[in-house]
Amino acid sequence: MADQNIEGEVVREIHLKISPQYATIVVVPKADEVNDANFPRNLHNAAELFLRVGMVENAAKLKTCVDGMITTYKENPDGKSGMRLGRACACWSCGYCGLPKNYQEGKSKKGPPGPCNHCGEPDQVNWLKVTTQQGKKGSEIPWIELAPLTEEEEKKKKPLAS
């Protein structure tokens, strides 16, 4: 029975390597989630949860976002050229992790998280706390990501792509 294909069923094999480093990025629970034993406490748990419930695209999106942030830190950015720093959020609707849609330098630290910068989800999001090591002793560092291109930069880029 396992080898039978059900009509319309799509079978695919996916390999997502989720680094243990994801466990250093804490998912901050909202007030009503604090005592929930099933709440993912970090992004490693979140990726596992997405995969366990079949939300593969969300796990892949989470991986893309987190790997981008980790790679940016590894490349030792100068902090000036095309980067945005701040407090990130995780979206449970699409898997996006990064700065929220209402991002403005230093203005999104208080209040509720979100909305999601990818899908616009306003409620199913949580703040993230990026730490330098797993556990309570790690120091917090800001999320870092590439800044989106301005309209002028986008126009300059389009002729090159053709």
Side-chain angles (χ1 to χ4, degrees):
M1 181 130 178
D3 291 336
Q4 293 177 342
N5 282 337
I6 298 170
E7 190 173 325
E9 181 181 351
V10 176
V11 178
R12 60 184 173 170
E13 190 171 322
I14 303 215
H15 296 278
L16 290 176
K17 184 175 181 181
I18 305 298
S19 167
Q21 193 172 5
Y22 286 32
T24 65
I25 304 170
V26 176
V27 180
V28 180
K30 295 177 186 169
D32 61 338
E33 300 165 333
V34 171
N35 295 320
D36 184 346
N38 295 318
F39 184 81
R41 302 298 174 194
N42 57 59
L43 288 185
H44 195 278
N45 297 152
E48 290 174 326
L49 176 63
F50 282 142
L51 293 172
R52 196 173 312 125
V53 298
M55 298 173 78
V56 177
E57 288 79 15
N58 291 30
K61 179 58 135 175
L62 180 146
K63 179 175 173 36
T64 299
C65 296
V66 176
D67 286 352
M69 187 264 308
I70 291 171
T71 299
T72 301
Y73 269 116
K74 282 182 182 173
E75 293 174 352
N76 201 17
D78 62 12
K80 298 176 186 174
S81 53
M83 297 291 163
R84 297 187 323 161
L85 297 165
R87 189 170 187 195
C89 60
C91 178
W92 302 106
S93 293
C94 72
Y96 172 81
C97 295
L99 301 175
K101 188 172 271 186
N102 65 356
Y103 170 80
Q104 290 178 339
E105 195 78 42
K107 297 213 178 190
S108 62
K109 290 197 180 225
K110 304 253 187 226
C116 173
N117 206 359
H118 183 256
C119 73
E121 170 62 45
D123 299 318
Q124 296 298 313
V125 291
N126 287 85
W127 286 121
L128 296 175
K129 181 180 177 183
V130 183
T131 60
T132 55
Q133 64 186 27
Q134 191 172 353
K136 297 185 188 273
K137 294 184 180 182
S139 60
E140 187 172 357
I141 58 175
W143 185 275
I144 188 168
E145 62 187 41
L146 293 173
L149 298 176
T150 64
E151 285 183 33
E152 189 175 302
E153 291 169 331
E154 193 67 45
K155 287 177 186 175
K156 287 179 184 178
K157 186 178 180 182
K158 281 186 181 180
L160 296 175
S162 300

